[in-house]
Amino acid sequence: MDHLLRRPRRLRHHSTIRSLVRETSLVPADFIMPLFICHGKEIRMPIGSMPGVSRLSVDVAVQECRELWELGVPAVILFGIPDHKDATGSEGYDDNGIIQQAVRAIKEALPQLIVITDVCLCEYTDHGHCGVIVNGDVDNDTTVELLVREAVSHARAGADMVAPSDMMDGRVGAIREGLDGNGFSHLPLMSYAVKYCSAFYGPFRDAADSTPQFGDRKTYQMDPANAREAMVEAALDVEEGADILMVKPAMPYLDIISQLRENFSLPLAAYHVSGEYAMIKAAGQNGWLDADAAMTEALLSIKRAGADIILSYYAKEFAQNFRQYS
């Protein structure tokens, strides 16, 4: 009965057949590239804990965006590094803030590139938390008022999409109302719907200088042990008007990505965060693995789990390799 033996290897024997039957694919158009924007000119300041990633001044960021667009990466998300930090993160909602300057410059140079802005206060506060501190903790409703101001300011500067990452209750609905009330009803909102209090954010906090000066973020970011709560958070954001849902981090939460894909019909994004990126880069630099192959495998797992969109610091390198080998 040898002729009845199932032989799955038949479909692996030839590279073209493997390509033909491949179930999951990655292309540059799947990615959003995060960029860190700082004041000054002609600045490209490498971030030690994130090999290949730098803080960029606005002029250099425009050049970087042009390269990304030419490589087929359709979107960037901007994080600001202010000159001045204070208790309420005022540069975040200042119409002349660093992100507002960057949005205007990038959109003038590359009107077709999608420019998304992170809406949060942690990069701008002197204490490193994501909102206004009252009695030793982040005050939800006061913070939401400032997040609405920040989102509207980004919209006025020309942002194509806003992405609140703070995890305050009710912020999606408040931002949606604020955008609509200021003439930006067309502007989509990508919510960090499921953002865990993760150890994988360390390199980002180096890059954005946003490490909390006291305590932690456990009172507003999600407990890594919880899955059902993720469905609650996502459902609330859908009700409040989110257009895209996001899970952050990605690889430690592939089960959450999969569950959201099964339960919600909105486009789903996943953030392959700084720690996920950095540990693969570090292993590659030490010769412990092939970093490009490992990074691609990791990103495929995110897409396979159900993400439509991947935010990744590897987006540019992936696009360069894709062009080289396609």
Side-chain angles (χ1 to χ4, degrees):
M1 302 293 288
D2 286 349
H3 66 287
L4 296 178
L5 179 68
R6 290 294 302 273
R7 295 186 181 273
R9 288 183 61 187
R10 291 174 185 142
L11 300 181
R12 305 174 194 147
H13 181 68
H14 193 287
S15 62
T16 304
I17 294 178
R18 291 196 299 271
S19 177
L20 187 66
V21 300
R22 186 163 293 136
E23 299 172 23
T24 307
S25 61
L26 281 173
V27 295
D30 293 328
F31 289 93
I32 296 169
M33 179 72 180
L35 299 177
F36 297 98
I37 313 298
C38 62
H39 289 278
K41 291 186 177 181
E42 298 182 2
I43 294 174
R44 186 182 290 270
M45 184 185 305
I47 299 164
S49 57
M50 298 175 69
V53 179
S54 299
R55 293 182 179 185
L56 309 174
S57 55
V58 171
D59 55 328
V60 177
V62 170
Q63 298 170 15
E64 186 76 3
C65 287
R66 185 172 286 111
E67 292 178 22
L68 288 164
W69 179 254
E70 291 173 354
L71 287 166
V73 177
V76 296
I77 184 167
L78 306 183
F79 298 90
I81 314 296
D83 272 346
H84 167 74
K85 299 191 177 199
D86 56 33
T88 61
S90 60
E91 187 169 328
Y93 44 90
D94 184 337
D95 284 346
N96 291 313
I98 186 60
I99 288 302
Q100 290 83 345
Q101 293 178 37
V103 170
R104 287 191 288 265
I106 294 168
K107 290 305 296 183
E108 181 177 0
L110 293 156
Q112 296 306 308
L113 181 76
I114 297 301
V115 177
I116 306 164
T117 59
D118 176 74
V119 176
C120 193
L121 298 175
C122 63
E123 300 108 294
Y124 308 101
T125 56
D126 53 13
H127 46 73
H129 279 283
C130 298
V132 179
I133 302 298
V134 177
N135 297 325
D137 195 14
V138 174
D139 184 76
N140 194 94
D141 296 354
T142 305
T143 298
V144 168
E145 291 177 9
L146 297 183
L147 294 171
V148 173
R149 291 177 61 182
E150 184 178 13
V152 171
S153 178
H154 292 175
R156 280 197 296 261
D160 297 295
M161 186 184 303
V162 295
S165 64
D166 53 283
M167 289 300 286
M168 297 298 113
D169 295 337
R171 93 276 202 210
V172 169
I175 291 171
R176 182 72 271 162
E177 184 177 350
L179 290 171
D180 292 355
N182 283 274
F184 299 107
S185 59
H186 63 285
L187 204 74
L189 191 156
M190 177 169 63
S191 171
Y192 288 65
V194 181
K195 181 177 179 180
Y196 284 92
C197 190
S198 172
F200 287 93
Y201 302 149
F204 175 95
R205 292 175 183 176
D206 290 342
D209 191 23
S210 62
T211 302
Q213 298 303 298
F214 63 90
D216 53 43
R217 294 176 176 157
K218 292 180 180 178
T219 66
Y220 47 102
Q221 294 179 355
M222 280 184 55
D223 186 336
N226 292 357
R228 294 190 300 271
E229 184 184 6
M231 303 304 111
V232 173
E233 287 281 6
L236 287 170
D237 286 1
V238 171
E239 290 174 9
E240 292 178 24
D243 299 288
I244 300 173
L245 301 175
M246 187 201 301
V247 176
K248 180 182 181 182
M251 286 185 64
Y253 301 97
L254 294 178
D255 60 321
I256 305 302
I257 295 171
S258 179
Q259 288 180 49
L260 259 69
R261 179 71 295 150
E262 291 178 3
N263 285 279
F264 298 95
S265 59
L266 290 182
L268 181 59
Y271 202 143
H272 185 242
V273 301
S274 60
E276 299 173 79
Y277 169 88
M279 64 185 183
I280 295 175
K281 279 289 189 177
Q285 289 179 340
N286 280 285
W288 297 335
L289 48 70
D290 180 331
D292 286 331
M295 200 77 76
T296 300
E297 186 176 341
L299 296 167
L300 272 170
S301 76
I302 298 166
K303 186 83 177 290
R304 192 179 64 245
D308 303 297
I309 303 162
I310 302 174
L311 293 80
S312 175
Y313 303 95
Y314 190 68
K316 183 178 181 181
E317 288 183 72
F318 175 85
Q320 289 170 330
N321 293 339
F322 185 86
R323 173 171 288 185
Q324 179 179 352
Y325 295 113
S326 61

